[in-house]
Amino acid sequence: SQMLRTQHQQIGSPVPESSADLARVLLCKYLVPVLRRGESRGGGDQQNQAGFSIQEILRMHGCTPMTPSLAELSDDSMMTSTAAEIEDEMQELEARPRGGVGFWRSLPENIRASVKPYLEANFETTFRNGGGREPSQRLSDRLRIMKPGMKTSAWVKEFTARIIDSLGNQDTAGTAEVLVASRVVIRNDYSTAFFCLPHAIAALVED
């Protein structure tokens, strides 16, 4: 049980559509598989790291512990409710982040089942941020990480994480925010890092 700090603060903040697409792919193809591998090995850091990233991505897309119930309510209860009940239900929906219901319903059922516990989780972890570098260090110096004998997979993980560390030093939003939430997994999982690398470069260039 390590301690975690994240730069994401607002639940239900608006997220660009492209960022929601990136978040869905990350959840379905990378973070949930990492989570399942961690669970199959009895938990530990791998599960905690994936759980944290899942938790943060769900939160930034407006998902709360009530989101699954609201999604079901919006699908089913309208067919059986009276006019007064429908009005009350619509008011309840309007009072909560609407994006959360839409994002939740866009996930495949098996993914929703895997991530549902993390709607109420409060995972905390500590991750290395730029190797203790000075904030004034030039980006080109921070990204010069190749060492003799360093494996390509290790370079991809470290290089991607260093780029995302640079994004995390600024006010993050959209794609950058999704990547910052995922960097604790990126530092330790090659497949996730390789997928995120072009997105991280694009976010850095666009900043």
Side-chain angles (χ1 to χ4, degrees):
S1 36
Q2 302 166 299
M3 295 301 297
L4 157 204
R5 294 295 178 267
T6 177
Q7 297 196 354
H8 172 66
Q9 300 293 335
Q10 298 297 324
I11 295 176
S13 302
V15 179
E17 184 64 24
S18 60
S19 300
D21 292 340
L22 173 63
R24 273 189 289 272
V25 175
L26 268 171
L27 286 172
C28 296
K29 300 294 186 181
Y30 300 95
L31 298 181
V32 169
V34 170
L35 176 74
R36 289 172 176 164
R37 288 199 297 271
E39 291 174 340
S40 69
R41 295 169 183 169
D45 288 344
Q46 189 177 45
Q47 180 182 354
N48 290 339
Q49 291 161 359
F52 164 67
S53 294
I54 290 168
Q55 160 192 288
E56 293 303 295
I57 287 176
L58 291 174
R59 286 179 178 175
M60 72 178 60
H61 287 83
C63 296
T64 73
M66 288 295 295
T67 297
S69 298
L70 290 172
E72 291 179 8
L73 185 145
S74 62
D75 283 338
D76 302 328
S77 67
M78 299 302 180
M79 301 180 63
T80 58
S81 298
T82 66
E85 289 171 336
I86 290 175
E87 184 176 356
D88 290 342
E89 289 160 0
M90 290 303 296
Q91 289 176 353
E92 175 68 13
L93 282 171
E94 291 290 347
R96 296 179 180 275
R98 297 302 300 276
V101 172
F103 184 77
W104 183 257
R105 291 173 63 184
S106 73
L107 299 175
E109 185 175 352
N110 66 318
I111 298 298
R112 292 199 299 264
S114 293
V115 304
K116 186 176 180 179
Y118 299 92
L119 291 170
E120 301 189 64
N122 188 22
F123 275 81
E124 297 191 347
T125 185
T126 295
F127 45 84
R128 180 167 50 85
N129 186 6
R133 59 175 170 73
E134 293 297 324
S136 59
Q137 188 178 9
R138 293 186 306 172
L139 179 62
S140 59
D141 293 333
R142 297 200 299 268
L143 297 181
R144 193 175 290 117
I145 59 173
M146 181 60 76
K147 302 173 183 177
M150 189 177 196
K151 293 183 178 179
T152 302
S153 58
W155 179 86
V156 168
K157 290 186 289 185
E158 184 64 18
F159 188 75
T160 306
R162 293 274 184 114
I163 293 175
I164 294 172
D165 285 340
S166 297
L167 299 175
N169 288 333
Q170 303 148 11
D171 292 332
T172 56
T175 296
E177 189 177 22
V178 173
L179 294 171
V180 168
S182 305
R183 64 182 171 182
V184 66
V185 174
I186 287 166
R187 287 196 183 280
N188 297 286
D189 185 72
Y190 169 73
S191 295
T192 307
F194 187 76
F195 169 74
C196 288
L197 178 56
H199 298 282
I201 293 172
L204 183 67
V205 171
E206 291 169 1
D207 184 69

